Amino acid sequence: MRQRLAVGNWKMFGSLPENQALLDTVAAAMAGLRKTICVVCVPFPYLAQTQAALAGSKVAWGAQNVSQHPKGAFTGEVSAGMLREFGCRYVIVGHSERRQWFGEDDRTVALKAKAVLTAGMVPIICVGETLSERESGVTEKVVGRQIAAALDELGSEILKGAVLAYEPVWAIGTGRTASPEQAQAVHASIRGLLAKRDGSLGDLAPILYGGSVKAANAAELFAMPDVDGGLIGGASLVAQEFISICRAADQTSGRDG
Ligand code: PEP
């Protein structure tokens, strides 16, 4: 059975008092989750607060970026080993905002995923096309290139420890969501690419959808057979929205029921 996940990406938002209220409310509401892992990926300075607030709860936590290097003179960077010390289980790598604003390319993203896996955590590897790429009909080619970079660097066996997230760039933070059918089509094509390299990887890899997921559209997206949950930006900062989205992931059946 494929793991279902609902992952909040707080981006560069939050403050100590706001976080505390959000974390406490989410942790209390998630006690009844049956099959879905709920995760919050918070800014680095809030990891200690998050660890303290969520310890012993059903909610896991993680980071939004990591260095590909284990240690060294890399001012301003944070290593995977450091994240592990704060109890992180997940790290988002290759978010389109990192690719767009910080110049991260496919190989850097693959190396970051490797650093996360080596430190015993789960990378959430983001892929997705821009609006102009979708309009030019090259969505599957672009996503295929991004997936191939991860497969080439990590190998299919290691990639079994990762989560993938399909996030069309045109849907992130825009209020414009891919339709369930659009999401399903890309998820199925990613699964096909993975299966070509390794049948069980195609079958087992959790693939999340991200891009303006809200309480109002989560259930229909998560009901698609190849969508195993979501990566949620803006709506993860609003407790009741995020709680509803996590419940939608838990209550929809996806492939395995
Ligand atoms: C994201 O940050 O990964 C994301 C999908 O953002 P939003 O849900 O706000 O579109």
Side-chain angles (χ1 to χ4, degrees), residues 9 11 95 97 126 167 171-175 210-213 231-235:
N9 172 19
K11 311 195 191 213
H95 191 282
E97 287 154 13
C126 301
E167 297 210 304
I172 297 179
T174 59
S212 299
V213 176
L231 180 51
I232 298 104

Side-chain angles (χ1 to χ4, degrees), residues 5 14 48 52 55 64 76-77 88 114 126-127 130 143 149 155 174 187 202 205-206 215 224 231 242:
L5 294 114
Q64 304 165 17
E77 292 288 280
C88 289
K114 195 176 202 170
C126 301
V127 298
T130 62
V143 170
T174 59
H187 282 230
M224 291 288 117
L231 180 51
F242 188 55

